[in-house]
Amino acid sequence: MGEWIKTLLMIVGSFFIQPLFIVGVIWSIGMSLKRIRTERKIYRVAIFKEWFEVKDFLVMGLLPGVIASILLTVLGVPLTIEWIVFYQISTLILLVLFGTRYIHPIITFPVTALLLSVTNWILETNSSSNLNIMGYSVEQLNFFNNHLLVNGLVVMFLVLLVTIFSLSFYKMKHLSPDFLKTSRGKWVGSYFLKPFWVLPLLIIVPGNLFTAVFDWWPVFGIGNQTYTVLFLPILLGLQIKVQAQIPQQALKLVVKDLMILMGVLVVLIGINIVWSVFTWISYLIMFIGAIAVYLRHRNREHNWSFLYGSNDEGLKVLGIRPATPAAKMKLSVGDTIVTCNDVPIKTEDDFYQALKINSAYCHLKIKQIDGEYRLEQTAIYEDSPHEIGVVTIPEKLV
């Protein structure tokens, strides 16, 4: 029993020392620090003081990771240690070059397959040499084959499935606005939706190459083949800019596009089971499909007008600070404050001057983003109108 616990702790513990996990944690910390610094620069105080990016990175993928790991184990789909190493290299390269925008297996797996193919070609051209890696000759290495590529497609499907599951329940409680100037010289708000999280995925690894390096690593055998298991950190990221849609609705449309792409992937896997020479085309289709998801979102944004700019009806709400009177009134991003304490509101200064009329209570008339009106009222912090918690376009920009 003690040996099993030791083995389990060894397998789980190795997850936390892999390069992707460490870099992912550092990256999420950097995202939090950058956001807080930007908010303080614009508003002199952070809208959200907690490092929610780090929390999302560590927690968001736990349950989906368990589900995907169980399914992958039941299916018995292995990935080689070469694939795992090149996946981490591919993901790190894309993360450094493009941030979290393209950090998902629908993009990182095709890049991994490409790097494996190039490496395999280089090794084949040196097959007659005495080149060896970790004591293994070139002929003993299994960098690239169609069966491995099909397995990669199956893993891609499972990760895409749990991604859709995670994003479907993703609640945008921390919307921090950014600002841009239109061609007409007006400032408008926008939002970068950047969910970024790690998926702990239990991978079955065949062969002896892994244990040749770590001879203490646990192995098991099926027939004449030896296997080991490894928790692989799969980094999942998305980055879209929203300025003409409600952020939650924009994300739902992206999820629908991903569901269509998942349907295409199911068909491709079915074809490859029968005709495995189709694998390279399958990876290319998925890569193009991933780019198409981003392009479709961008097209929707360009076809609709700006939603978060100043208007003649009142003051646009661009954010809500937590645990404030604004949060208690359930104000939402995109709402327009038409009146405050029966005083018409046009600017941020109008709003705070109206709040001073009643130092203990505030009455708001709100125009919702769907055009409907509603009334809200709540107690406020006496003599502290700026602590009501409403985030708007700063006066210094307007």
Side-chain angles (χ1 to χ4, degrees):
M1 186 66 179
E3 192 65 28
W4 274 101
I5 295 176
K6 180 181 178 181
T7 300
L8 181 61
L9 291 176
M10 189 184 303
I11 294 172
V12 174
S14 67
F15 173 81
F16 298 101
I17 62 173
Q18 294 185 57
L20 272 190
F21 178 80
I22 296 172
V23 172
V25 170
I26 295 173
W27 197 276
S28 65
I29 292 173
M31 290 172 64
S32 290
L33 292 175
K34 181 180 179 181
R35 172 187 54 78
I36 291 172
R37 184 170 60 250
T38 301
E39 290 174 354
R40 286 175 176 170
K41 181 179 179 181
I42 296 175
Y43 295 104
R44 293 178 295 181
V45 63
I47 300 174
F48 305 104
K49 297 180 181 179
E50 66 271 26
W51 294 12
F52 64 84
E53 292 90 347
V54 180
K55 179 182 177 181
D56 285 349
F57 178 80
L58 296 173
V59 175
M60 191 172 166
L62 290 180
L63 178 59
V66 171
I67 296 173
S69 295
I70 292 174
L71 292 174
L72 197 59
T73 303
V74 170
L75 292 174
V77 178
L79 290 177
T80 64
I81 189 63
E82 295 93 346
W83 178 281
I84 292 172
V85 170
F86 277 79
Y87 163 71
Q88 300 212 26
I89 293 172
S90 302
T91 304
L92 289 173
I93 291 173
L94 290 173
L95 185 63
V96 171
L97 292 178
F98 304 105
T100 61
R101 183 183 299 272
Y102 301 122
I103 304 302
H104 194 283
I106 54 178
I107 291 180
T108 55
F109 274 26
V111 175
T112 299
L114 178 62
L115 288 181
L116 278 169
S117 176
V118 171
T119 303
N120 186 69
W121 175 80
I122 293 173
L123 292 176
E124 285 183 346
T125 59
N126 292 275
S127 59
S128 59
S129 67
N130 294 322
L131 178 66
N132 67 82
I133 300 176
M134 292 180 291
Y136 284 78
S137 65
V138 171
E139 290 82 0
Q140 291 175 294
L141 296 174
N142 186 25
F143 272 81
F144 186 77
N145 59 65
N146 283 332
H147 186 67
L148 175 62
L149 290 180
V150 175
N151 288 352
L153 290 174
V154 174
V155 177
M156 186 193 298
F157 164 75
L158 290 177
V159 176
L160 184 55
L161 177 65
V162 297
T163 299
I164 292 172
F165 172 82
S166 299
L167 293 179
S168 297
F169 293 95
Y170 185 69
K171 301 300 181 182
M172 299 183 187
K173 300 178 182 179
H174 305 95
L175 287 172
S176 180
D178 194 9
F179 300 96
L180 58 92
K181 184 178 287 188
T182 67
S183 57
R184 297 181 179 180
K186 293 185 176 182
W187 288 96
V188 297
S190 62
Y191 303 90
F192 280 101
L193 309 184
K194 297 186 287 186
F196 177 55
W197 69 105
V198 61
L199 185 79
L201 191 62
L202 187 64
I203 300 291
I204 301 172
V205 183
N208 298 316
L209 185 58
F210 187 77
T211 53
V213 182
F214 307 103
D215 55 0
W216 41 266
W217 196 260
V219 296
F220 61 93
I222 299 179
N224 296 324
Q225 180 68 54
T226 58
Y227 296 90
T228 188
V229 291
L230 176 71
F231 269 110
L232 176 65
I234 302 288
L235 295 192
L236 303 175
L238 179 71
Q239 182 174 313
I240 57 175
K241 185 177 182 179
V242 178
Q243 58 194 28
Q245 305 174 75
I246 301 173
Q248 197 72 50
Q249 292 182 353
L251 185 60
K252 286 182 178 179
L253 292 175
V254 170
V255 169
K256 287 183 178 180
D257 290 339
L258 290 175
M259 291 177 68
I260 294 173
L261 192 59
M262 185 176 68
V264 173
L265 180 55
V266 171
V267 174
L268 293 174
I269 292 173
I271 294 174
N272 280 284
I273 291 175
V274 178
W275 187 35
S276 61
V277 295
F278 196 67
T279 50
W280 260 118
I281 299 177
S282 300
Y283 277 92
L284 180 60
I285 291 174
M286 292 306 298
F287 183 87
I288 294 174
I291 301 302
V293 170
Y294 278 105
L295 292 178
R296 279 174 57 83
H297 167 77
R298 185 178 179 182
N299 187 56
R300 287 190 291 265
E301 284 290 309
H302 285 185
N303 287 340
W304 297 346
S305 58
F306 294 109
L307 194 59
Y308 303 103
S310 57
N311 57 54
D312 296 331
E313 294 183 88
L315 187 64
K316 186 71 72 174
V317 176
L318 297 184
I320 306 296
R321 291 189 175 92
T324 61
K328 293 179 181 179
M329 288 188 287
K330 297 182 179 180
L331 295 182
S332 301
V333 168
D335 284 346
T336 300
I337 302 174
V338 179
T339 66
C340 174
N341 293 332
D342 299 322
V343 176
I345 301 300
K346 299 296 182 184
T347 67
E348 187 180 43
D349 185 61
D350 290 343
F351 181 46
Y352 291 121
Q353 291 300 322
L355 285 172
K356 294 179 180 179
I357 294 175
N358 188 332
S359 61
Y361 223 76
C362 100
H363 305 263
L364 300 181
K365 181 179 180 181
I366 305 296
K367 182 180 180 181
Q368 301 175 157
I369 205 163
D370 60 4
E372 296 293 325
Y373 290 87
R374 76 177 194 273
L375 299 177
E376 294 288 353
Q377 59 183 5
T378 188
I380 61 175
Y381 303 114
E382 189 172 359
D383 299 324
S384 299
H386 287 78
E387 295 181 16
I388 191 172
V390 175
V391 178
T392 63
I393 298 178
E395 287 288 335
K396 60 182 179 181
L397 295 182
V398 178

